Amino acid sequence: MKALPTADYDALVVGGGPAGATAAILLAQSGWRVAVVEKKSFPRRKVCGEFVSATTWPLLRSLGVAQSVLAQAGPEVRRVGLYAGATMLAAAMPSPRVGPADWGRALGREHFDSALLARAAKAGATVLQPWTVSRIERISGGHRCTAVVNEKPENGGARTNIDLRARIVIAAHGSWEPGPLPTQARRLRPRAADLFAFKAHFRGSRLPLGLMPLLIFPGGYGGMVQTDGGRVSLSCCVRRDVLEAIRCAPGIASRHVGAAAAVYAHIEASCRGVHEVMSGVSLDGAWLSAGPIRPGIRTLARGGIFAIGNAAGEAHPIVAEGIGMAIQSAWLLCERLTAHGDAALAADASHALAAIGREYEHSWRRNFVTRIRAAALFAQLAVRPATASQVVTLVKHVPKLLTLGARWGGKAQSLRSFPGQHRLRPLP
């Protein structure tokens, strides 16, 4: 194993997805020396609903990526719907009316993430890809982080490592994979209620233009949306015990189909709306899967290490706010880091970093706790057949509850900054 020379940075960002790339852009634009370590090569597909809500567009315009994203994104999503059993409903999508791009749209993560990370590099951030951070060690004046990459076969397949020194570390690695870093979760024992996520693209769907329906089926929930290139993205979550039962069901086990195909057959059989709009579609690429997912709130700041995106906290995907929360959480953290200026990067910045952590947590909770709790409630109701049927019956009588639910989930709440002076402001 050979080592490369040590590189010094003001901030090291672990993960180059929407949260990590946003943080890198904002800090690099503020004159910080930033490195991003991303373990995957881009473009890459990812399990995700792909929806970018209206409240995120002002931030994307300030990041300098809105124009390129809009050029590729699917149509404006102006209605939210519900497909459950024989029920097919639609209602207006709430909009905060924040600017010219104030309706949500969807874009494949292979395009969205690539655009953001390329913008980070253009802003001056160093991008190490595909590299993995295998260790974070506290040292005087900051952290030493070991990054590792597998070299190409023509170089003998040797593993190369490099030590990166940074005053602060920003964890943007997501939450689904356990690992050795202090912000990564440890592997937990399997539970019947664990949720596994699946996602695929389809062509030839008859999903009505501008409609994003919520799918409720026995043991899980999901969503559909028109994304780029005329494709429809279908993503879902299903309980572990239900997934096992589905795969053993007559007609499924005998066909020896994979888990994703079994779940899709279960959804189509359970939701008349899915059966109608997806009849005759063709699969565009392979199914993706991930999990178990662990929604909830995690440690946001500790000893100069800050968590953003799903590493900080994750809402149940039922509210389709993952991308928005990732970008917005990065914005809130960088707002506080740049507001403290040189104090955040001083040789002895412990007091400043502690203050930044408290302020960031205050802003984060102010923006996201309500939607995380709402998402948890919606998800619990949806995955239990008895409560799901009651919810569907209620929504059939009052369809506007779909609009209200989308509002509770964060679709109309613009980002609220920390009280007082701050330096990062979305463009009008």
Side-chain angles (χ1 to χ4, degrees), residues 9-176:
Y9 295 93
D10 297 321
L12 176 72
V13 183
V14 184
T22 296
I25 294 169
L26 294 172
L27 293 179
Q29 287 177 337
S30 297
W32 287 43
R33 296 169 301 159
V34 183
V36 182
V37 181
E38 166 55 45
K39 68 179 182 179
K40 297 290 187 179
S41 295
F42 284 6
R44 62 96 165 88
R45 300 172 63 217
K46 187 175 177 63
V47 177
C48 174
E50 302 184 346
F51 182 69
V52 183
S53 62
T55 56
T56 306
W57 287 105
L59 309 186
L60 292 175
R61 290 198 293 274
S62 287
L63 294 171
V65 298
Q67 185 174 359
S68 63
V69 169
L70 281 171
Q72 300 181 80
E76 295 177 341
V77 177
R78 293 175 176 257
R79 293 186 298 160
V80 61
L82 174 65
Y83 291 168
T87 299
M88 299 173 63
L89 297 173
M93 174 73 77
S95 172
R97 311 300 298 178
V98 292
D102 54 3
W103 290 102
R105 296 171 182 246
L107 179 62
R109 291 289 296 272
E110 63 269 32
H111 306 304
F112 188 79
D113 292 10
S114 296
L116 274 172
L117 194 56
R119 181 70 184 92
K122 186 176 181 180
T126 298
V127 177
L128 298 177
Q129 186 182 31
W131 291 68
T132 299
V133 175
S134 61
R135 183 182 181 187
I136 298 176
E137 177 187 3
R138 179 71 181 174
I139 60 174
S140 177
H143 302 83
R144 180 190 295 117
C145 306
T146 302
V148 182
V149 66
N150 288 322
E151 290 188 346
K152 295 180 180 180
E154 56 264 30
N155 294 328
R159 288 174 61 84
T160 300
N161 75 294
I162 181 173
D163 280 342
L164 306 170
R165 297 177 184 267
R167 292 297 178 91
I168 69 167
V169 174
I170 299 176
H173 48 59
S175 66
W176 294 358

Side-chain angles (χ1 to χ4, degrees), residues 55 321 325 328-329 331-332 335 359-372 408-410 413-419:
T55 56
E321 280 293 298
M325 287 180 60
Q328 292 169 19
S329 65
W331 187 282
L332 292 173
E335 185 180 74
E359 294 168 4
Y360 168 54
E361 181 168 355
H362 173 87
S363 294
W364 192 96
R365 290 182 175 276
R366 184 172 176 236
N367 280 277
F368 303 132
V369 165
T370 297
R371 76 181 71 175
I372 286 177
W408 284 341
Q413 178 59 62
S414 298
L415 189 65
R416 293 176 289 181
S417 297
F418 187 78

Side-chain angles (χ1 to χ4, degrees), residues 140-226:
S140 177
H143 302 83
R144 180 190 295 117
C145 306
T146 302
V148 182
V149 66
N150 288 322
E151 290 188 346
K152 295 180 180 180
E154 56 264 30
N155 294 328
R159 288 174 61 84
T160 300
N161 75 294
I162 181 173
D163 280 342
L164 306 170
R165 297 177 184 267
R167 292 297 178 91
I168 69 167
V169 174
I170 299 176
H173 48 59
S175 66
W176 294 358
E177 296 183 12
L181 305 185
T183 49
Q184 288 181 306
R186 300 295 179 260
R187 193 174 298 277
L188 302 177
R189 291 184 177 180
R191 300 174 301 180
D194 285 340
L195 288 176
F196 287 85
F198 299 89
K199 175 262 192 75
H201 289 133
F202 296 88
R203 293 192 181 274
S205 170
R206 295 193 296 273
L207 181 67
L209 188 68
L211 174 67
M212 185 169 70
L214 169 66
L215 317 178
I216 295 181
F217 53 90
Y221 59 82
M224 299 170 61
V225 67
Q226 289 142 339

Side-chain angles (χ1 to χ4, degrees), residues 351-411:
H351 293 296
L353 293 177
I356 291 168
R358 291 191 297 269
E359 294 168 4
Y360 168 54
E361 181 168 355
H362 173 87
S363 294
W364 192 96
R365 290 182 175 276
R366 184 172 176 236
N367 280 277
F368 303 132
V369 165
T370 297
R371 76 181 71 175
I372 286 177
R373 290 175 176 170
L377 174 61
F378 297 159
Q380 288 299 316
L381 294 175
V383 300
R384 298 174 179 174
T387 54
S389 64
Q390 295 174 2
V391 169
V392 172
T393 299
L394 180 60
V395 174
K396 286 171 64 175
H397 286 89
V398 190
K400 288 185 177 180
L401 286 174
L402 289 172
T403 304
L404 183 59
R407 188 177 298 278
W408 284 341
K411 296 293 184 295

